[in-house]
Amino acid sequence: MSIGSSYPVGRSTPGPQPARPLPRRAAAPLGLRLLAASLCCLLALTLTAVVFVRTYPGQWLDGALLPRAERGGGYEQQTVLVGPAKTVLGAFGSPTLLAALLGAVLLVGVLRRRLVAGVVGVGMVLCAVMLAGAVKSGLPRPDLQIESSTTHNSFPSGHVAAATALLLAFMLVLPGWARRWLAVPGAAGVTVIASATMIAGWHRFSDALGGVLLGVALFCLAAATLAGWRGDQDTDGGSEGGSLWRGLAEAAVGLVVLVWALVVVVPGLAASVQRGALFAIAAAGAVTMFLVGSVVFLVRSTDFGVRLSGRPGSRPQPSTEPQKIS
């Protein structure tokens, strides 16, 4: 007969185990997200063209924001800013200045060993200009018997598309920290070009909006191509809520600064243009800031460097041969 307890000796009852964290769902590849953003911009561009060019409410709204002048029937606004606006457009449309800016994109690409990204950025700007011209010449504008409208089609604006694509071309060759510093002043520069086209009577509000959408769509397509070539993904943890809220806060601050500059800093802007033109300028600036801020946030941690030698996206593999020990 044994004396003792029947319970096992030296064994402890297992306590509650700590809960294992749920595996985080992997984010979609950056190339797919950029392709989705490009398709969204192209869809918005198509809807803008359909609504503002082909429908009565769209043509009427364009005419209400920027009414035709009584003299000559053009869209040139009754303001002292017409002269400065034409000066800005003449300077930006200079082939010499455009060539210098495109050369700067290539130079930055070479200095940062991002020559392929620089070449892609230059091609993106040239494509924006050619596509804007092709759409303007091929898109018919029906006569819907609107007093403040004409059948002359000017959608989209080639100046605005080129300015947007040029700004985003620098985003392909600059590091992430420099992109965020360039986003606000760059978007302000695009807004100045868009405002000048509307004040000078060269384009309507919908034309400026279409130019921005075209430039952003081409950038997303170009960035998706480069990211797919390299197989890039975000290194910042793009799904983290902190990064998202920080990006939204930066975009909101930039938008407030831009609107404040348009209404307060620019001397006499609010008093020099009509209310419709002022609303069109502010709306164009807001859309530009939102779209530029969105794509800069999307590629905030992406390096678009592409090696000219070797298979695209290939990385050196560790050797599997056994090493001799001497």
Side-chain angles (χ1 to χ4, degrees), residues 177-247:
W177 63 267
R179 294 171 192 159
R180 287 166 34 172
W181 281 102
L182 182 62
V184 172
V190 174
T191 302
V192 170
I193 299 296
S195 304
T197 61
M198 293 185 286
I199 291 174
W202 291 14
H203 287 286
R204 307 171 178 91
F205 167 72
S206 59
D207 304 337
L209 179 61
V212 175
L213 288 171
L214 177 59
V216 174
L218 289 175
F219 167 77
C220 292
L221 185 60
T225 302
L226 292 174
W229 190 336
R230 285 176 45 88
D232 282 341
Q233 293 204 10
D234 282 340
T235 58
D236 257 358
S239 60
E240 294 181 0
S243 299
L244 176 60
W245 286 111
R246 183 170 60 252

Side-chain angles (χ1 to χ4, degrees), residues 7-8 12 15 19 33 41 66 79 96 99 104 122 124 177 184 192 212 230 234 242 252 271 293 319 321 323:
Y7 291 98
S12 60
R33 282 180 281 164
C41 288
L66 299 171
T79 173
T96 303
V122 171
M124 183 177 67
W177 63 267
V184 172
V192 170
V212 175
R230 285 176 45 88
D234 282 340
S319 176
E321 297 181 359
Q323 297 180 354

Side-chain angles (χ1 to χ4, degrees), residues 22-256:
L22 295 176
R24 189 174 61 181
R25 185 176 57 181
L30 178 63
L32 291 180
R33 282 180 281 164
L34 287 168
L35 282 177
S38 179
L39 291 176
C40 290
C41 288
L42 290 176
L43 178 60
L45 178 66
T46 303
L47 291 176
T48 303
V50 171
V51 172
F52 283 92
V53 177
R54 307 287 299 179
T55 68
Y56 184 95
Q59 289 192 11
W60 177 87
L61 181 58
D62 263 340
L65 294 177
L66 299 171
R68 296 177 63 191
E70 294 181 359
R71 63 180 193 281
Y75 285 90
E76 181 179 299
Q77 298 301 295
Q78 303 278 355
T79 173
V80 296
L81 299 178
V82 171
K86 291 183 177 180
T87 301
V88 170
L89 294 176
F92 182 73
S94 170
T96 303
L97 179 61
L98 184 59
L101 293 173
L102 294 179
V105 174
L106 288 176
L107 179 60
V108 175
V110 170
L111 293 177
R112 296 203 65 252
R113 299 180 181 179
R114 303 293 178 263
L115 179 59
V116 174
V119 172
V120 170
V122 171
M124 183 177 67
V125 177
L126 298 179
C127 285
V129 175
M130 291 187 294
L131 286 176
V135 173
K136 275 190 290 189
S137 60
L139 183 63
R141 184 179 179 90
D143 184 6
L144 301 179
Q145 304 300 320
I146 299 176
E147 185 177 354
S148 60
S149 180
T150 66
T151 57
H152 171 68
N153 178 49
S154 56
F155 180 92
S157 169
H159 278 74
V160 179
T164 306
L166 182 61
L167 168 63
L168 296 176
F170 279 100
M171 301 297 180
L172 293 177
V173 295
L174 289 174
W177 63 267
R179 294 171 192 159
R180 287 166 34 172
W181 281 102
L182 182 62
V184 172
V190 174
T191 302
V192 170
I193 299 296
S195 304
T197 61
M198 293 185 286
I199 291 174
W202 291 14
H203 287 286
R204 307 171 178 91
F205 167 72
S206 59
D207 304 337
L209 179 61
V212 175
L213 288 171
L214 177 59
V216 174
L218 289 175
F219 167 77
C220 292
L221 185 60
T225 302
L226 292 174
W229 190 336
R230 285 176 45 88
D232 282 341
Q233 293 204 10
D234 282 340
T235 58
D236 257 358
S239 60
E240 294 181 0
S243 299
L244 176 60
W245 286 111
R246 183 170 60 252
L248 291 176
E250 292 175 356
V253 171
L255 178 60
V256 171

